[in-house]
Amino acid sequence: MDLVPALQEPLKGVLGPATAKVMAEHLGLHTVGDLLHHYPRRYEERGQLTHLADLPMDEHVTVVAQVADARLHTFASSKAPRGKGQRLEVTITDGSGRLQLVFFGNGVHKPHKELLPGTRAMFAGKVSVFNRRLQLAHPAYELLRGDTEGEETVESWAGALIPLYPATAKLESWKLAKAVQTVLPSAQEAVDPLPGSLREGRGLVPLPEALLKIHRPHTKADIEDARARLKWDEAFVLQVALARRRHAETQLPAVPRKPGPDGLLTAFDDRLPFTLTDGQQKVSREIFDDLATDHPMHRLLQGEVGSGKTLVALRAMLAVVDSGGQAVMLAPTEVLAQQHHRSVVEMMGELAEGGMLGGAEHATKVVLLTGSMGAAARRHALLDLATGEAGIVIGTHALIEDKVQFHDLGLVVVDEQHRFGVEQRDALRGKGKQPPHLLVMTATPIPRTVAMTVFGDLETSVLDQLPAGRSPIASHVVPAADKPHFLARAWERVREEVSNGHQAYVVCPRIGDVDDDPKKKAAQRTAPEDDAEKRPPLAVLDVADQLAKGPLQGLRVEVLHGRMQPDDKDAVMRRFAAGETDVLVATTVIEVGVNVPNATAMVIMDADRFGVSQLHQLRGRVGRGSAPGLCLLVSEMPEASAARQRLNAVASTRDGFELSRIDLEQRREGDVLGQAQSGARTSLRVLAVIEDEEIIAEARQEAAAVVAADPELTGLPGLRTALQALLDEEREQYLEKG
C-alpha cells in the first residue's frame, strides 16, 4: 500500500524467479511491499492444536495436529490389477476432533516413514468429504520437531505463535512464512500513510512496527496492536479515495431536471392503480431533490426483492423526460432488458405511445436497444435516440457502442450495478452533453457498512417495505441424500401447485451438454478415489429431461438458459408469462427482474452451489401475486456442513439485509468487495466490514475532513503514495465496484 523503492523491489530479485512466479500467479504478489501486506490469516500456539471440528469444506486449510494412527492398505485397481495399489490412511487429532489424511501410489513412502503416531506437524490441503467423513487428500506437511535437527523450522517461527498465511496448493503457509522472514527487514522503510495527528490521537503504533508485529508476534497483544493499526490504514486510505471521488463529483456541472407541474409524471401517477408505499414516496423525494441540483446526482437505490425499485426508477426517468431530457436504463442481460421494457410499457400504457395514433397528450416513446436486434429495428431505435423522439431507452451494454448518440441524456439508471464494469458505466455517462445524473439500483440488500465501504461515493436510499399484495414465501431445505422421500414430496408439491392453476420454476447451476468439456470428464474419471463422491453440478438439460419423463410427466416443461438464441429465450419467457408452460427449468438467467405473478413454487437443485444473496434473489421470483409462494432448497450436503447452515439461514429469514450480514460473516474476508470483478486482490486484508463498523464510520469522517481541507493531499505525501498503490488501474475499477 505504501510502496517506496525498497518496498517496490520485485520479489524475483529477492526470493528467486521460481518462487516469485508462483507468488505472482497464485497470490497476486509481485513486490516486497505486496508480500509484507500479505498478512497471516490466523496464528497457532505451539502448545495448542487447531479445531478440526470446525474445518470449512472445499477450502485450502493449514492445520497443526498430532498423528493418532497410520495404516497402509493395498488394493486392486485398473493401474495395479494384482492388488499392488497402495493407500496410506493417517488419522490426525487435536483432541476436539479427528481428520483423515490419505496418500496414494508412490506418494505413500515418505509419509509412511515420517508420520508415525505421536508426531506433531503442520498439514496443508483442501478439505473434501469421502464416505461422509472429512479428509485431506495428499496434503503437504511440515514436521514440528523439538530436537536440534528441526531447530531451523522452530527458529523460523517466532516465539510461541505460528503465523498461518492464506496459502495455495502451490505454496504452503510455512514457505510463505520463510519468504516473509527474508523481506521483513524492508518493513523499516515503509512510509506511513496516516497523518501524524490522527495516529497519535488514536494511539496507533507506527507502520514499520505494525508490520513487524503482525508477521512475528511474541504475544497476543502484539497481534492486537498490529491489527488495530493496519485496520485503520485500510479503512482510512479507502475512505480518502472515496471522499476524493465524492469531492470531484460535486465539482462537475449538470443540468437540473425538474418535472413540470402537470406533465408526464403527474399523468403517470394519476393512472397508477395503487398508492405508493411510504418508503417509495420518501425515496422518490430524495431522488427528485438530487435531480433538481446543478451537479450530478450519484445515488444508490437498494431494496428488498420486490420492493418496487423499478417503479421508483421509472418515476425518476419520467421526471427527467418531463424536463426535456432523455433517460436510459442499462440492464445486465437481454432477458432482463426485454422484461423491463415490457413492464415499463405496460405501466405507462398510452403514455408510452408518443408520436403514435392513440398516444396520450404528454406521451413519449419507450425504445428497446439490444445487441441481437435486426438491422432495420436497430436503425429505427438509433434514430429515435438521436432525435430525442425516444424519451426513455432501455437496453443492454449495446447502448454503450460509439454509434449510439443521444439528443439530450439527462439520467442513467444502472440495474444490478455489480454486473457492469466502470468503463461501461462511464462510457454511457460520457454520452451526455454535460454529465448526466446517475441512479444505481441493486436488488441485493447491502448492510450499511458495506454500502459505506463499497459505494462510499454514492448517497444511499433504501426501500425496505414490500408493497401491498405481495404474498409470503415459505422456504424449506430438502436434504436429498439423507431423506430421498423429501425430494419425491417436493415434486408432488410442484404438481399440486400446477393442478391449482399455478406455475413453477426449477433452477439448476449448469446448462449441460456442450459445457461438459471432454477433457474435464476424463480428468474426473482418473481422479483418485477421494473424488468418487464428487459429481458435477446438476444441469438444466438433464434435469428437464428426467422430470418430463419421471415425476412431472404430463406437465408442460420448458427450458431457459443463457446459450439459447435471444428470440428463443424471449419466446419461452412469453409462453411462461402467458401461462402456456407449467414448469420452467432454468439457470440463474431468471435471477433478477423476471416477473410472473402466477408462478408460486421454485425448486432450487444443488442449492449449496449458490451464494446466499443469489438464493434470496431467486426466491424473490415467486410469491409475486396474491397466492403464497414456496421455495424448496435441495441439497445433498451433510447436515453439519457449512453449506447446509447457509441454506438453513436462507430458509429461516425473508429479510435480505439480515441475510447479507449472515453471508458476509460466513464468507472469508476479502470476498466482501467482490474483487473478482476486476481481477484485483481486495485491498481489505484485516478490515472485517461487518465487525469493524465503527472504524469504517470514523475513518469516513476523518477522510472527509482531510479531503475538505486539502483535496490534492499536498501536505500528506505518505497518504498520496498509499493511494497510488491502492488505485492502480485495476483497483480504480474495483473502487467503482466494477
Side-chain angles (χ1 to χ4, degrees):
M1 221 186 255
D2 24 63
L3 304 180
V4 292
L7 273 66
Q8 275 176 330
E9 193 174 341
L11 289 170
K12 202 159 50 188
V14 188
L15 303 174
T19 309
K21 186 169 182 242
V22 175
M23 285 194 178
E25 284 176 6
H26 294 275
L27 295 167
L29 307 175
H30 303 277
T31 63
V32 168
D34 289 344
L35 182 54
L36 286 174
H37 287 293
H38 186 72
Y39 309 132
R41 181 172 282 168
R42 58 193 173 83
Y43 302 83
E44 291 292 0
E45 292 185 60
R46 265 197 179 284
Q48 282 189 341
L49 298 166
T50 316
H51 277 286
L52 296 180
D54 306 334
L55 290 181
M57 276 293 298
D58 280 337
E59 266 190 39
H60 204 279
V61 298
T62 304
V63 298
V64 178
Q66 193 159 354
V67 177
D69 175 59
R71 296 170 188 214
L72 192 62
H73 302 274
T74 54
F75 59 90
S77 72
S78 55
K79 289 186 180 169
R82 296 207 186 91
K84 292 286 169 52
Q86 289 194 312
R87 182 175 75 245
L88 175 66
E89 287 177 6
V90 177
T91 306
I92 58 173
T93 180
D94 65 350
S96 79
R98 292 178 161 243
L99 179 66
Q100 189 161 341
L101 316 177
V102 56
F103 301 87
F104 293 105
N106 297 333
V108 304
H109 305 308
K110 185 168 178 271
H112 190 216
K113 283 210 298 272
E114 293 182 334
L115 298 180
L116 304 170
T119 308
R120 285 164 62 88
M122 281 186 284
F123 302 92
K126 199 168 184 183
V127 184
S128 58
V129 173
F130 181 65
N131 279 345
R132 307 186 77 72
R133 282 163 58 197
L134 293 182
Q135 72 164 24
L136 296 180
H138 283 283
Y141 61 88
E142 175 95 332
L143 302 180
L144 291 174
R145 305 184 179 94
D147 56 10
T148 48
E149 183 195 345
E151 222 163 86
E152 187 249 345
T153 315
V154 175
E155 207 33 60
S156 66
W157 310 106
L161 292 163
I162 302 171
L164 294 182
Y165 288 87
T168 74
K170 295 267 192 279
L171 201 64
E172 294 89 8
S173 172
W174 47 90
K175 290 183 181 159
L176 274 161
K178 286 176 183 168
V180 169
Q181 186 74 3
T182 310
V183 302
L184 207 50
S186 305
Q188 294 306 326
E189 315 270 324
V191 171
D192 206 318
L194 294 190
S197 56
L198 189 157
R199 195 177 71 233
E200 283 144 29
R202 296 188 177 272
L204 301 169
V205 301
L207 183 59
E209 186 184 330
L211 289 171
L212 212 59
K213 282 182 167 174
I214 197 134
H215 290 295
R216 291 292 167 266
H218 290 286
T219 62
K220 288 185 175 168
D222 283 352
I223 300 170
E224 287 311 305
D225 284 354
R227 290 179 72 86
R229 162 61 217 245
L230 295 166
K231 279 180 178 186
W232 255 95
D233 274 20
E234 290 182 358
F236 181 71
V237 175
L238 184 61
Q239 291 299 344
V240 165
L242 292 166
R244 289 183 75 191
R245 281 194 58 79
R246 283 197 302 278
H247 180 78
E249 290 290 337
T250 59
Q251 306 304 304
L252 293 173
V255 179
R257 307 281 178 175
K258 294 178 183 159
D262 289 311
L264 182 57
L265 180 61
T266 312
F268 175 75
D269 284 349
D270 289 347
R271 52 168 289 138
L272 278 179
F274 50 81
T275 50
L276 299 177
T277 64
D278 294 347
Q280 286 173 321
Q281 287 177 348
K282 175 177 156 287
V283 168
S284 289
R285 277 197 301 277
E286 291 170 353
I287 291 172
F288 291 153
D289 288 348
D290 280 2
L291 288 173
T293 60
D294 55 9
H295 56 82
M297 168 171 83
H298 219 60
R299 189 167 281 280
L300 171 70
L301 170 59
Q302 57 162 329
E304 271 297 1
V305 180
S307 57
K309 288 183 300 298
T310 312
L311 177 62
V312 169
L314 176 57
R315 291 184 75 239
M317 293 165 86
L318 294 172
V320 169
V321 175
D322 246 357
S323 71
Q326 289 169 294
V328 56
M329 181 186 268
L330 189 60
T333 64
E334 296 217 346
V335 168
L336 195 51
Q338 285 160 340
Q339 181 88 25
H340 275 320
H341 181 254
R342 259 202 302 279
S343 60
V344 164
V345 168
E346 238 165 72
M347 281 195 268
M348 287 176 65
E350 74 266 19
L351 295 174
E353 295 170 358
M356 293 150 74
L357 274 173
E361 181 195 348
H362 298 291
T364 185
K365 237 187 197 180
V366 180
V367 169
L368 176 69
L369 187 68
T370 64
S372 64
M373 284 167 77
R378 191 181 170 76
R379 246 198 328 275
H380 209 87
L382 289 172
L383 190 64
D384 285 343
L385 265 63
T387 58
E389 192 82 356
I392 292 180
V393 185
I394 296 170
T396 56
H397 49 263
L399 284 168
I400 293 162
E401 292 169 15
D402 292 342
K403 289 197 283 287
V404 179
Q405 298 296 328
F406 291 89
H407 178 64
D408 178 15
L409 181 58
L411 169 67
V412 175
V413 178
V414 181
D415 190 19
E416 285 309 307
Q417 159 72 1
H418 59 278
R419 306 200 181 187
F420 288 101
V422 54
E423 306 90 334
Q424 294 170 303
R425 192 169 100 178
D426 275 354
L428 193 49
R429 287 173 69 197
K431 291 183 179 291
K433 294 188 177 74
Q434 283 199 330
H437 298 279
L438 176 72
L439 180 65
V440 170
M441 296 201 295
T442 175
T444 310
I446 309 168
R448 182 177 139 267
T449 34
V450 183
M452 273 168 46
T453 313
V454 181
F455 294 106
D457 59 331
L458 302 180
E459 297 300 324
T460 305
S461 295
V462 176
L463 278 174
D464 45 15
Q465 277 175 298
L466 289 188
R470 296 302 296 262
S471 302
I473 303 174
S475 305
H476 304 284
V477 178
V478 177
D482 309 346
K483 299 177 177 162
H485 59 287
F486 275 35
L487 184 57
R489 175 72 188 118
W491 301 126
E492 281 171 27
R493 282 292 290 112
V494 169
R495 293 193 84 97
E496 286 164 17
E497 289 297 315
V498 172
S499 66
N500 289 334
H502 297 301
Q503 293 158 279
Y505 297 101
V506 176
V507 182
C508 305
R510 210 163 50 97
I511 298 173
D513 104 36
V514 200
D515 67 355
D516 297 339
D517 183 342
K519 283 184 190 159
K520 281 189 195 159
K521 279 198 161 168
Q524 275 162 357
R525 277 200 300 278
T526 56
E529 284 118 281
D530 66 304
D531 278 338
E533 293 204 344
K534 280 197 177 168
R535 57 165 179 73
L538 291 169
V540 166
L541 300 176
D542 306 339
V543 169
D545 190 44
Q546 287 158 13
L547 291 176
K549 291 176 180 164
L552 301 186
Q553 198 171 0
L555 301 188
R556 297 168 298 178
V557 176
E558 286 211 59
V559 300
L560 180 71
H561 57 74
R563 262 207 324 266
M564 291 163 66
Q565 289 301 317
D567 290 352
D568 296 344
K569 275 194 270 198
D570 198 36
V572 169
M573 271 318 299
R574 277 175 193 276
R575 283 197 294 277
F576 189 64
E580 294 162 23
T581 305
D582 299 320
V583 179
L584 187 62
V585 184
T587 55
T588 53
V589 291
I590 62 157
E591 179 186 345
V592 280
V594 172
N595 185 21
V596 180
N598 191 44
T600 51
M602 175 176 286
V603 181
I604 303 178
M605 307 302 290
D606 279 344
D608 48 272
R609 313 260 180 156
F610 298 99
V612 168
S613 59
Q614 208 172 20
L615 291 169
H616 184 56
Q617 277 291 358
L618 286 165
R619 169 170 65 183
R621 300 305 108 212
V622 295
R624 299 179 81 85
S626 52
L630 172 70
C631 179
L632 301 175
L633 307 166
V634 179
S635 171
E636 293 186 0
M637 294 303 280
E639 181 101 42
S641 63
R644 272 285 284 282
Q645 286 163 7
R646 225 175 42 234
L647 296 181
N648 292 340
V650 174
S652 67
T653 177
R654 279 288 319 281
D655 181 341
F657 287 91
E658 178 55 29
L659 280 177
S660 63
R661 282 189 87 91
I662 292 170
D663 192 18
L664 289 180
E665 280 159 5
Q666 287 193 344
R667 274 151 56 166
R668 293 196 310 280
E669 253 340 296
D671 291 352
V672 168
L673 300 186
Q675 77 280 13
Q677 321 291 354
S678 66
R681 287 185 333 283
T682 171
S683 58
L684 291 200
R685 310 209 178 121
V686 282
L687 194 68
V689 177
I690 291 288
E691 286 165 35
D692 299 321
E693 206 150 343
E694 278 174 37
I695 293 180
I696 291 169
E698 287 172 19
R700 183 172 175 146
Q701 281 177 344
E702 295 267 11
V706 165
V707 171
D710 179 5
E712 294 306 308
L713 308 178
T714 38
L716 296 164
L719 180 55
R720 275 213 315 277
T721 309
L723 271 178
Q724 282 157 8
L726 174 75
L727 300 181
D728 56 26
E729 271 174 42
E730 286 187 309
R731 296 277 169 74
E732 272 281 19
Q733 297 171 11
Y734 134 76
L735 192 60
E736 285 228 326
K737 192 69 179 82

